[in-house]
Structures are given as C-alpha cells and as structure tokens.
C-alpha cells in the first residue's frame, strides 16, 4: 500500500457519474483529491501533501522552538541533523543513531551490516512486511541478501513461526506495527517470546519501527524498553510525526559507524538536509507526546464506525482491528474502489467533511479497503460526529450504501480479507 497522499480519485466535483470519473486523467484525479482534502474544514487527520506555501509557513512557525536557527545549515550531516541523531538515540535508549534520507535505504544498510557480522545473508521476515511488498526486492537485488518468510496471514510473527523455520537465518526483521495487516502489534509477552526464539536460533533482531513511536500504548512499555529487545531499530520521521521526510537507524556505536560507511556507498550522504531535520525535531516536540492520545481516540472512532455501519444496515463491513492497536486501522466495505473514491471526494467537496481518503481493491472481489488515521485533527470528532459522517458518506454510494448483490458479500463475522 502506498501512503494516502499518492492515491488518486475521480474527475469533476459536480458529478457522481463513474463513467465521467473514469475518463479523468491521473493528474486531474490527484489534483481534485488534493484540493478536496486541503479545503476540508474537518478531517480525522492532517494532510501529508499540502501547498508548498503552507508547508513553508508551518516549518517557519515550528522550527524556532525545535532548534537554534542562528546556527549554520548542516553540511553532510552536522548541525540540525546531528542534533536529531543524538535526540533519537536518547529517545530509543540506544548508544547512537544515524540519519537516512529514506527508510528503504536505512533497512537495506542495517540488514547488510548484520549479514556481514553474522556471516549469514538470510533475513527472516513476515511476507507482508514492507521490504517484501513495497521495495522492489531491494534486499535481494541491491543488497545481495536472501529473504525467508516467517509467519503468514494478517497477524504478526510469533515464536512458533520462528522456531518452525527449517533453515538458519542471520537476522529476524519484525515490522512494528505490521502495516499491511492492519497496523497490528503483538502483545508485550508475544514480542518478548519471538525475540527469545530468534536468540535461540543465534540470530540478531532488527525492528522495522517506521511507526514504533505510536506502539507504546498497546505494548504497555516505554520506547527504550521496546527498543532494548532489538539489536537495531529503524524509525521514520514523517509517517506519524508530521515531518517532511527522513529516517534514522539506531543501535550500537560501532554498528552505526559501519552503517555510515554504507550510507555513503548507497548515495545517502546528502549535502544539506536541515529542512527535513528541523521538521523531524519539531515533530518529536509536538506529535510524539500526543500519540498515546491519538491511539485512544482512534479506538473511539473505530467503535463509532462499527455502530454507524450496523445502523445503516450495510450487509458486510470490517473495521480491523476492531480495537485499533495504534492510531491507524483499516476499514473494509462491499463496494468497488471507484465508487468509494468518488463518494470520498464528493463528501469534502460538498460538506467540508473529510472522512475517508483512498480506497483499494486488495481483497475479495466486490470489496475495497481504506486506511484511517486519527491525529490531532481527529480529536475534535465525537462518536456522534463520526456516525453522522458515515451516514452522509453512505448516502453518496450507489443504492444509498447497499451493494447491488448483498447476498454475494462475505459474512460480517469473518476475519479481515487478506491480500
């Protein structure tokens, strides 16, 4: 799945005709959706993609409190970038951290370094994890590693999955939370058990923690306690913290030093990255302390969605997980993505309320899924607000929210459809 900001929608704002929407160019679809998002008076989460003037104004407002703006701009990683690395290491309780322009690069470097140290280039990971789904086989084609699948279906890797692997591996990579499965997390006991199982196999453990920041509430532990389970941890600065871009890799000092050499080889030493570093520092100040609050309210929103779909008589739907593990979760409905996209963009255009964003048909035929995120903007929504918005949204679908062949949709009690 790509981020919501990259997902396109339908054509004109004054029609629901799907044939007309189908004729729209991808560029016009995207422009229409972004315009609707940014003009909306209320939404469950802030928009990742905004006009450049708005982004510059936001950075100018937030940056002075995050870093000394009289200091020099960074040069290949000093200044604000170094300050961000030091703060990240401290937050995770690791000896050192290293800035990367992308998480894809950070994880390739981390796993390549561990392969050299363990002497085993095989990485065990869930088949729905990000490197397997969205990185074009970079671990194998670029880094010369080999992947081994642990676990299956829309649930995290567990200890039995690791112990059941029938060949050795040098590293176990755990994505926390597992985004494509519905932003799902293990319990703390399950996580410690799977790490122990990896140690039994003489493997190192690497956390894909792109969204680790918001996992503390579900796991019931602090960031340093969680990160202490792993030999290395990658975190993102834009997915939950509202930054512009960038990631960090944290771990032992000698490991981070080696990762720095590989970052250079991969082309990741960028001359100046201070705007992204400033935005990340501001996000750590502003968003990180509020993430547990967002997770708690996401559970309120998810419950209200369930109630509204039931009240409306939608013959099949799924909010997954029913009680979200983070401030993000999935919603499944028995309609095609094109109709759902059209309703999703018409609602903010006509009412100023943005409920859902982009839908994709990644499960059984006749169903589509969207990802919901709740942040500071969503805290203003009551459960009644959510239910009212759902009823308005469903009224914009063909048949007023009832699929043309309700008898052919899956039963409500089945598990969330897997990819």
């Amino acid at each position: 799945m790509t981020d919501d900001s990259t997902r396109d929608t339908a054509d004109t704002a004054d029609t629901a005709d799907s044939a007309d929407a189908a004729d729209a160019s991808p560029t016009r679809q995207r422009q229409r959706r972004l315009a609707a998002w940014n003009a909306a008076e209320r939404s469950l989460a802030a928009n990742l993609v905004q006009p450049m003037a708005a982004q510059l104004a936001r950075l100018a407002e937030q940056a002075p409190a995050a870093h000394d703006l009289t200091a020099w701009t960074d040069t290949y990683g000093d200044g604000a970038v170094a300050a961000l690395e030091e703060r990240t290491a401290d937050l995770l309780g690791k000896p050192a951290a290293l800035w990367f322009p992308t998480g894809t690069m950070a994880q390739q470097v981390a796993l390549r370094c561990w392969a050299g140290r363990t002497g085993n280039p095989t990485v065990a990971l869930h088949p729905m994890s990000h490197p397997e789904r969205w990185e074009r086989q970079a671990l194998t084609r670029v880094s010369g590693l080999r992947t081994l699948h642990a676990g299956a279906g829309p649930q995290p890797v567990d200890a039995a999955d690791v112990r059941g692997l029938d060949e050795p591996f040098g590293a176990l990579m755990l994505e926390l939370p597992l985004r494509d499965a519905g932003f799902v997390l293990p319990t703390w006991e399950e996580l410690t058990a799977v790490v122990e199982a990896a140690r039994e196999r003489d493997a190192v453990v690497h956390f894909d923690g792109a969204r680790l920041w918001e996992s503390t509430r579900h796991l019931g532990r602090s960031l340093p306690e969680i990160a202490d389970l792993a030999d290395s941890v990658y975190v993102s600065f834009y997915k939950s913290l509202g930054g512009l871009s960038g990631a960090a890799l944290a771990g032992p000092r000698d490991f981070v030093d080696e990762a720095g050499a590989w970052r250079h080889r991969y082309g990741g030493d960028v001359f100046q990255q201070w705007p992204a570093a400033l935005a990340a520092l501001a996000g750590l100040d502003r968003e990180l302390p509020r993430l547990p609050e967002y997770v708690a309210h996401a559970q309120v929103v998810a419950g209200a969605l369930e109630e509204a779909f039931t009240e409306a008589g939608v013959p099949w739907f799924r909010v997954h997980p029913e009680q979200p593990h983070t401030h993000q979760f999935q919603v499944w409905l028995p309609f095609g993505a094109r109709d759902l996209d059209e309703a999703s963009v018409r609602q903010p255009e006509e009412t100023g309320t943005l409920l859902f964003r982009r839908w994709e048909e990644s499960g059984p035929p006749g169903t589509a899924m969207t990802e919901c995120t709740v942040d500071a903007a969503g805290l203003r929504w009551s459960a009644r607000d959510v239910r009212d918005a759902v009823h308005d949204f469903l009224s914009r679908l063909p048949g007023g929210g009832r699929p043309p062949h309700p008898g052919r949709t899956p039963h409500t009690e089945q598990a969330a459809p897997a990819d």
Side-chain angles (χ1 to χ4, degrees):
M1 297 166 202
T2 56
D3 288 326
D4 282 339
S5 58
T6 67
R7 297 173 180 174
D8 301 327
T9 187
D11 183 17
T12 58
D14 58 352
T15 179
D17 190 309
S18 60
D20 288 346
D23 291 337
S25 70
T27 298
R28 291 180 63 195
Q29 291 173 10
R30 185 171 189 270
Q31 289 174 343
R32 180 191 173 200
R33 173 162 287 278
L34 292 178
W37 287 2
N38 283 281
E41 297 171 358
R42 63 173 184 167
S43 62
L44 290 172
N47 299 312
L48 292 178
V49 180
Q50 300 174 350
M52 286 185 287
Q55 290 279 40
L56 287 170
R58 183 169 68 95
L59 184 60
E61 177 186 359
Q62 297 171 355
H67 190 71
D68 179 10
L69 298 189
T70 66
W72 297 105
T73 56
D74 69 288
T75 303
Y76 293 114
D78 58 8
V81 175
L84 177 61
E85 291 171 339
E86 182 177 352
R87 185 168 179 190
T88 302
D90 183 63
L91 284 168
L92 296 174
K94 293 294 188 185
L98 184 69
W99 164 272
F100 279 83
T102 70
T104 296
M105 184 185 294
Q107 300 219 104
Q108 284 188 58
V109 167
L111 295 170
R112 184 164 194 157
C113 288
W114 287 128
R117 290 171 176 235
T118 64
N120 189 330
T122 301
V123 179
L125 74 176
H126 196 286
M128 297 179 74
S129 61
H130 195 276
E132 293 296 85
R133 285 288 185 90
W134 304 112
E135 297 179 15
R136 296 192 176 189
Q137 300 83 47
L139 291 181
T140 56
R141 296 181 66 87
V142 178
S143 298
L145 305 178
R146 177 174 173 271
T147 60
L148 175 66
H149 288 170
Q155 56 274 329
V157 176
D158 63 24
D161 294 327
V162 173
R163 294 191 176 103
L165 293 174
D166 57 6
E167 54 185 297
F169 52 96
L172 172 67
M173 195 207 85
L174 298 174
E175 184 177 334
L176 302 175
L178 187 56
R179 184 259 183 97
D180 277 7
F183 306 94
V184 295
L185 287 162
T187 64
W188 176 251
E189 292 72 23
E190 290 167 340
L191 180 58
T192 55
V194 74
V195 169
E196 181 180 350
R199 305 295 186 204
E200 293 171 2
R201 302 291 299 266
D202 296 322
V204 298
V205 176
H206 170 74
F207 284 170
D208 175 345
R211 297 171 173 83
L212 189 69
W213 307 115
E214 61 265 36
S215 300
T216 55
R217 180 183 172 93
H218 179 83
L219 291 172
R221 296 296 190 278
S222 67
L223 283 169
E225 289 176 291
I226 298 168
D228 187 56
L229 294 178
D231 298 281
S232 60
V233 180
Y234 140 68
V235 290
S236 172
F237 293 118
Y238 76 89
K239 291 181 173 65
S240 303
L241 299 179
L244 297 177
S245 63
L249 178 63
R253 171 64 65 182
D254 62 336
F255 171 82
V256 169
D257 289 343
E258 181 185 358
W262 280 105
R263 181 185 67 179
H264 194 178
R265 294 184 181 111
Y266 273 68
D269 274 344
V270 181
F271 177 53
Q272 290 189 1
Q273 301 188 87
W274 56 269
L278 287 178
L281 287 166
L284 290 173
D285 287 341
R286 184 188 66 258
E287 295 299 309
L288 182 58
R290 304 193 71 183
L291 285 173
E293 184 181 12
Y294 300 165
V295 177
H297 199 62
Q299 294 172 355
V300 173
V301 171
L305 290 170
E306 289 258 8
E307 292 174 8
F309 291 137
T310 301
E311 291 169 357
V314 178
W316 179 86
F317 64 87
R318 183 73 171 175
V319 176
H320 176 69
E322 289 187 7
Q323 187 172 68
H325 297 176
T326 73
H327 70 315
Q328 297 178 289
F329 56 93
Q330 296 177 342
V331 173
W332 293 78
L333 287 176
F335 299 90
R338 187 164 62 183
D339 287 334
L340 290 164
D341 279 341
E342 178 63 19
S344 294
V345 77
R346 283 181 59 214
Q347 186 172 30
E349 286 174 339
E350 297 171 5
T351 71
T353 293
L354 173 58
L355 178 61
F356 299 124
R357 298 184 186 239
R358 194 69 175 106
W359 296 80
E360 50 184 58
E361 296 173 350
S362 56
T367 67
M369 183 275 295
T370 191
E371 295 175 339
C372 287
T373 300
V374 177
D375 63 19
L379 297 180
R380 298 192 291 268
W381 291 56
S382 68
R384 169 51 62 187
D385 292 333
V386 175
R387 291 194 296 270
D388 289 345
V390 168
H391 287 291
D392 178 77
F393 173 78
L394 292 174
S395 72
R396 301 170 189 282
L397 291 171
R402 290 185 173 274
H405 303 292
R408 300 181 187 177
T409 57
H411 189 272
T412 305
E413 298 301 320
Q414 76 168 40
D419 289 322

